[in-house]
Amino acid sequence: MLEIRPNCERCNVDLDPMSTDVMICTYECTWCRDCAAVLGVCPNCGGEMAQRPRPSAARMAKDPPSTIRVFNPDLMAPESD
């Protein structure tokens, strides 16, 4: 079962649990579509990112989204060569 994390780990923007603009990796690292485009792959695990599935209303009622925010401001720094 997905945690449905509430924010982008890179820019900390709030993410709607029903949005189609949320990307996750296989470990559920969570990114907004803009940050995922910049990153290309998950910087935490190196895995592929895919659109996060949207939960059904019944699932949301039974298992609400996570309120735990994961944020890594170091990911906002420009890449150094």
Side-chain angles (χ1 to χ4, degrees):
M1 179 176 328
L2 294 176
E3 289 182 18
I4 308 179
R5 296 178 185 169
N7 65 302
C8 174
E9 293 184 29
R10 181 172 183 259
C11 71
N12 204 31
V13 68
D14 291 337
L15 300 172
D16 182 331
M18 298 306 288
S19 175
T20 59
D21 288 330
V22 180
M23 307 296 284
I24 61 172
C25 73
T26 55
Y27 291 99
E28 292 187 62
C29 301
T30 304
W31 317 98
C32 68
R33 188 168 298 277
D34 291 340
C35 287
V38 168
L39 295 166
V41 298
C42 178
N44 299 324
C45 69
E48 165 184 40
M49 291 188 239
Q51 182 178 318
R52 180 174 70 188
R54 292 180 296 161
S56 67
R59 191 293 170 124
M60 290 282 285
K62 182 179 178 216
D63 298 306
S66 175
T67 58
I68 298 170
R69 298 179 78 85
V70 177
F71 176 51
N72 186 348
D74 293 336
L75 295 175
M76 290 299 288
E79 294 288 323
S80 59
D81 294 326

